[in-house]
């Protein structure tokens, strides 16, 4: 009589040994492959958004610096204008025309600097709005990455333990991660502010 070692191993297993489910590992593998592919696509878009955020931040800082420079020029022009007006009061009549010409020039300069300062301020505020809009989408991709990473971890454990309910549980963060990634890719306005504040 021949002894089959596989029969010995099978008979040695306890009665409550875990049942292998032939559909679970392929389902996990396909789900992980799809999630990883989607995550890779989102990562490319998110990296581009982060670069645009950095550019918007740099532009904003540059514009605020230009704003300060224009503000200083305006204040210097106003100060010079005040001095010229005071000096014109005590200047002889034959010098009044020269003072009025300089006063007129500095009035124009102060007004010009004020106008340019306001234009630069508007540009800096627009840069901040651009940054905020990009950060909104970056948050969506961050939540997508986190949810998909959690889902992949749960899928790995479900494959090891052969627990189908764990596979089904992993579909919840998978769905949320895909939804957030789609929101970032498509520019949807979905943004769970409470969750973002909790994680930031």
């Amino acid at each position: 009589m021949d002894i089959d070692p596989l029969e010995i191993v099978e008979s040695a297993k306890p009665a409550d040994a875990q049942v292998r489910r032939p559909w679970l590992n392929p389902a996990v593998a396909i789900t992980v492959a799809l999630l990883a592919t989607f995550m890779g696509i989102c990562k490319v878009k998110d990296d581009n958004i982060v670069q645009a955020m950095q550019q918007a931040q740099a532009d904003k800082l540059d514009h605020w610096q230009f704003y300060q420079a224009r503000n200083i020029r305006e204040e210097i022009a106003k100060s010079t204008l005040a001095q010229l007006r005071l000096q014109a009061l005590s200047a002889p009549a034959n010098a009044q025309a020269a003072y009025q010409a300089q006063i007129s020039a500095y009035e124009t300069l102060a007004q010009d600097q004020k106008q340019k300062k306001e234009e630069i301020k508007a540009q800096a505020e627009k840069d901040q709005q651009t940054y905020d809009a990009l950060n909104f989408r970056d948050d969506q991709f961050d939540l997508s990455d986190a949810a998909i990473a959690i889902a992949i971890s749960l899928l790995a454990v479900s494959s090891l333990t052969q627990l189908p309910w764990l596979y089904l549980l992993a579909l919840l963060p998978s769905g949320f991660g895909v939804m957030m990634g789609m929101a970032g890719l498509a520019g949807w306005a979905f943004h769970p502010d409470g969750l973002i504040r909790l994680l930031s």
Side-chain angles (χ1 to χ4, degrees):
M1 176 171 144
D2 292 334
I3 298 174
D4 185 359
L6 290 177
E7 287 180 12
I8 295 172
V9 170
E10 289 297 322
S11 64
K13 283 185 178 179
D16 62 345
Q18 215 158 47
V19 179
R20 300 245 356 132
R21 291 169 178 81
W23 63 269
L24 187 57
N25 283 347
V28 166
I30 291 168
T31 306
V32 168
L34 290 173
L35 288 174
T37 302
F38 182 75
M39 199 173 181
I41 293 168
C42 289
K43 182 69 176 154
V44 171
K45 185 67 174 174
D46 189 30
D47 286 348
N48 290 335
I49 285 175
V50 168
Q51 288 175 2
M53 286 172 66
Q54 292 169 342
Q55 184 62 53
Q57 185 76 347
D59 289 344
K60 181 185 78 168
L61 294 174
D62 287 346
H63 285 133
W64 280 122
Q65 289 173 353
F66 289 142
Y67 173 86
Q68 292 300 332
R70 294 287 182 194
N71 191 45
I72 290 169
R73 290 177 186 173
E74 180 190 5
E75 291 304 316
I76 290 172
K78 285 180 177 178
S79 175
T80 305
L81 187 58
Q83 289 176 2
L84 286 171
R85 285 179 176 152
L86 289 173
Q87 290 171 358
L89 293 175
S90 61
N94 61 352
Q96 286 294 324
Y99 273 102
Q100 288 305 316
Q102 287 300 309
I103 289 171
S104 178
Y106 274 96
E107 283 175 342
T108 303
L109 179 62
Q111 188 60 35
D112 181 56
Q113 293 304 313
K114 181 179 180 181
Q115 179 184 347
K116 289 179 179 177
K117 180 181 77 170
E118 293 305 317
E119 289 171 2
I120 290 173
K121 180 181 178 184
Q123 288 176 334
E125 289 170 347
K126 184 179 177 187
D127 293 334
Q128 182 63 49
Q129 291 170 354
T130 301
Y131 179 87
D132 291 341
L134 291 168
N135 190 45
F136 184 92
R137 293 180 70 190
D138 182 56
D139 288 343
Q140 292 171 323
F141 285 118
D142 289 345
L143 282 179
S144 176
D145 286 349
I148 290 175
I150 291 167
I152 289 174
S153 299
L154 289 173
L155 288 167
V157 175
S158 73
S159 178
L160 288 173
T161 60
Q162 291 293 297
L163 296 173
W165 66 266
L166 197 54
Y167 173 80
L168 296 174
L169 180 65
L171 295 180
L172 292 175
S174 298
F176 181 72
V178 169
M179 183 179 68
M180 291 308 301
M182 288 301 297
L185 290 170
W188 297 340
F190 182 67
H191 192 262
D193 294 326
L195 188 55
I196 298 288
R197 280 194 298 273
L198 180 67
L199 296 174
S200 62

